[in-house]
Amino acid sequence: MHVVATAGHVDHGKSALVTALTGLQPDRLEEEQRRGLSIELGYAWTTLPGAGEVAFVDVPGHERFISTTLAGLGPVPAVLLVVAADDPWMPQAAEHLAALDALGVTHGVLAVTRADLADPAPARERALAELATTSLRGAPAVTVSVRTGEGVAELREALTTMLAGLPRPPAHEPVRLWVDRSFSMPGAGTVVTGTLPAGRLRPGDGLSSSRGGHRVRAVQSLGRPVEEVEGPARVALNVSGRVDRGEALVSPGAWHHTEVLDVRLGEVRLGTGEPPQRPLLHFGSTVLSVHHRPLGPGLARLTAERPLPLRVGDRALLRDPGTRRLWAVTVLDPAPPPLQRRGAARLRADALSGAHGEADAAAEVTRRGVVAAELLTRIGVPVDPPPPGVVAAGGWLVSAERAAAAARTAVEVVTEHAAAAPLEPALTLAALAERLGLPTAELAAAVVAEPLRVEAGRVRPAGADDVPADVRAAVAALRERLDGAPFAAPAADELPALGLTPKVQGAAVRAGLLLCPAPGVVLLAGTDALAAEQLAELPQPFTVSEARGHLGTSRRVVLPLLAHLDRTGRTRRLPDDRRRLTGS
């Protein structure tokens, strides 16, 4: 299906032309039909040979209904611009054309109506001259008279040719449907309509809005129920819950909702000057007041009244409600950093100077330094696979520059920690990540490079002796003290004289040099294996007293040593408090 919007000054024959093309009356309100004036968006459809199904969105031409007009033009990729042969170039035609140009609409047809009432050549030439400076330059022009039927067939041919040049959006795109009409039907509940630019909808699909989750109960397109519709298309949805006009229904989790966005502004249209501080932002079918903060030439930060689902490259309109002035808006960053320090706006403008709304993953990662891959995906920047030079780990991306800086800082941090606390454990990856300002331990591991190494989740200098000299000296003193009596652990008050302070004990245990089965009980590493070997000489099972005597030690030592052997699976404690070696 194709979707085409009408545009043009009031009473220039837009609705009559749509009726001539489709056989349907787009004006659905009694007042519209009585006054011959479109007030709300109208809809009609037909089938054009060579183009297939075509839905028309008929917009009001009166200046009082400009917000409704922009709601109809916003999501539509092609336009039928209508001017009357018996009128001069009119203000609303100029305003509609300025809006279409600002939105970047490049596909359209010019229809010069009422050719039976006046020579259409002057109106045609003036309109083509106006189009020549906009995104619609080169659009074909057709002279038409609805009353006589002149040119209607030629208009259908021109539309068919124009529509054949429209790009087809991918069906797998996430849904974003701007609601341009919402009402309640008895027995059905909420029904909404809108233009689906891309993606696919089916009954049973889940969608979300600012109000929460919704379930699609039924789908209609071109007045009939369908089991599936693929954008671009005009759709009507029966959904659960309340949804108001101007809201967006989106695929859950696929869009970033934001109140703050950095944008590039086009030149002012229909006037001069800069945007006011509180202009209106027209996006899709929504219109809301925003705060405008200039960042630099052609760059601004907009803060909206409520969150909107936006992506990099989205096009919108900024309008001065006190005049007819318009500005094109291109979204550069829908997830910008806060501006907190003096001069932050100027620095932000410098960072965005080369951005024009393209989805460039390498540029986004470079600009942000560190960013979640999921966020980039939700703002429309694909990151699978990650761009060259970017470090990716744990769902995060780090620019090459930021990764190199983090690697240098990591060396300083780890070296300082080892020098300041030689008896403490090496820094964990989580602790290092915090010191480096990185969000995850996986990311810290990804940026660590020589001369550092990662072992068991801790970061150490490569090639460094993990055991300080005073620890080795204390272990050597203990080895000399236990020579010939490996199970005769020194008393707690002897340990300081041997250099075995609690910190030294901890460092030696971590280095695999000591065994401490209980506080104050310090043995050489491997003593537990030696004990199991010697206890195998006893008749099985054996008592604590038999073990103590055979090992030549005290109950202070043998009880925690036997408990350690139980924990490590070398011995098994029986109900009568005796033990036997496992496997015996």
Side-chain angles (χ1 to χ4, degrees), residues 319-534:
R319 185 168 67 90
D320 181 359
T323 68
R324 297 170 59 242
R325 295 183 303 160
L326 295 173
W327 292 264
V329 170
T330 302
V331 177
L332 302 182
D333 190 349
L339 302 177
Q340 296 176 330
R341 293 179 296 179
R342 187 181 183 88
R346 178 181 53 79
L347 293 175
R348 182 61 176 162
D350 292 342
L352 294 173
S353 60
H356 294 277
E358 300 87 1
D360 186 334
E364 287 292 337
V365 177
T366 299
R367 193 156 45 239
R368 297 169 188 271
V370 181
V371 61
E374 181 188 15
L375 174 63
L376 292 186
T377 299
R378 285 189 283 115
I379 65 172
V381 180
V383 292
D384 188 17
V390 168
V391 176
W396 291 81
L397 303 173
V398 183
S399 68
E401 181 181 354
R402 179 74 171 82
R408 292 191 297 269
T409 304
V411 173
E412 298 173 3
V413 169
V414 171
T415 303
E416 289 174 2
H417 176 81
L423 300 182
E424 296 292 335
L427 279 177
T428 64
L429 281 168
L432 180 61
E434 184 177 357
R435 299 280 292 274
L436 297 179
L438 298 176
T440 66
E442 293 90 343
L443 213 50
V447 302
V448 166
E450 293 184 355
L452 303 180
R453 71 180 191 275
V454 179
E455 292 180 356
R458 294 183 181 273
V459 188
R460 296 180 171 86
D465 189 351
D466 291 340
V467 184
D470 50 353
V471 174
R472 291 193 181 277
V475 172
L478 177 65
R479 183 174 286 109
E480 183 179 351
R481 162 72 172 71
L482 296 178
D483 186 30
F487 304 104
D493 56 3
E494 295 181 65
L495 295 177
L498 296 171
L500 290 169
T501 64
K503 284 189 175 183
V504 170
Q505 293 178 43
V509 169
R510 288 190 295 273
L513 300 177
L514 291 184
L515 170 69
C516 295
V521 178
V522 182
L523 300 167
L524 293 172
T527 302
D528 48 354
L530 179 62
E533 181 182 333
Q534 294 191 18

Side-chain angles (χ1 to χ4, degrees), residues 18-344:
V18 170
T19 300
L21 290 168
T22 66
L24 300 174
Q25 170 57 259
D27 288 339
R28 53 188 170 79
L29 301 181
E30 180 181 348
E31 183 182 0
E32 291 179 316
Q33 297 178 16
R34 177 174 55 83
R35 298 172 60 186
L37 174 71
S38 296
I39 298 173
E40 291 287 349
L41 297 176
Y43 312 106
W45 54 89
T46 190
T47 299
L48 293 179
E53 295 176 325
V54 181
F56 290 91
V57 180
D58 189 31
V59 307
H62 198 285
E63 63 179 342
R64 289 171 51 197
F65 309 122
I66 184 62
S67 291
T68 301
T69 297
L70 296 178
L73 297 178
V76 177
V79 65
L80 175 60
L81 181 63
V82 179
V83 297
D86 60 340
D87 255 348
W89 181 253
M90 299 295 283
Q92 289 313 114
E95 188 164 14
H96 290 190
L97 181 57
L100 291 165
D101 185 31
L103 290 170
V105 177
T106 57
H107 293 80
V109 174
L110 170 66
V112 182
T113 60
R114 301 181 189 167
D116 57 313
L117 299 180
D119 178 6
R124 180 180 182 276
E125 294 308 313
R126 172 63 190 274
L128 287 175
E130 295 288 343
L131 265 63
T133 60
T134 73
S135 58
L136 287 170
R137 56 187 162 276
V142 180
T143 301
V144 182
S145 170
V146 171
R147 189 175 65 84
T148 66
E150 174 192 349
V152 174
E154 289 81 359
L155 179 58
R156 289 194 176 97
E157 292 178 6
L159 286 168
T160 298
T161 302
M162 180 270 292
L163 293 172
L166 283 174
R168 190 75 182 176
H172 64 268
E173 284 289 303
V175 168
R176 179 175 60 179
L177 178 73
W178 293 100
V179 174
D180 52 35
R181 188 180 174 212
S182 176
F183 55 93
S184 181
M185 290 187 63
T190 301
V191 175
V192 300
T193 67
T195 298
L196 178 67
R200 182 180 287 126
L201 280 171
R202 304 181 183 92
D205 284 353
L207 297 173
S208 64
S209 74
S210 60
R211 298 178 183 275
H214 306 271
R215 182 66 56 184
V216 178
R217 298 188 178 117
V219 181
Q220 281 196 0
S221 185
L222 305 186
R224 60 181 183 270
V226 295
E227 289 304 312
E228 179 179 286
V229 64
E230 187 176 306
R234 281 296 303 176
V235 297
L237 306 179
N238 176 207
V239 297
S240 62
R242 177 182 169 185
V243 183
D244 289 337
R245 173 177 172 170
E247 291 194 75
L249 288 170
V250 299
S251 300
W255 295 84
H256 178 67
H257 289 71
T258 180
E259 298 173 357
V260 182
L261 56 153
D262 287 347
V263 303
R264 185 172 292 280
L265 297 178
E267 293 182 1
V268 61
R269 291 166 168 83
L270 307 177
T272 59
E274 297 298 316
Q277 189 176 46
R278 301 294 301 187
L280 295 177
L281 178 68
H282 293 263
F283 204 107
S285 63
T286 194
V287 54
L288 68 169
S289 177
V290 295
H291 177 268
H292 166 253
R293 177 178 180 178
L295 299 176
L299 297 169
R301 172 158 296 186
L302 304 180
T303 304
E305 297 171 327
R306 56 183 172 85
L308 297 172
L310 301 179
R311 288 191 161 183
V312 173
D314 279 339
R315 298 292 294 265
L317 291 176
L318 206 62
R319 185 168 67 90
D320 181 359
T323 68
R324 297 170 59 242
R325 295 183 303 160
L326 295 173
W327 292 264
V329 170
T330 302
V331 177
L332 302 182
D333 190 349
L339 302 177
Q340 296 176 330
R341 293 179 296 179
R342 187 181 183 88

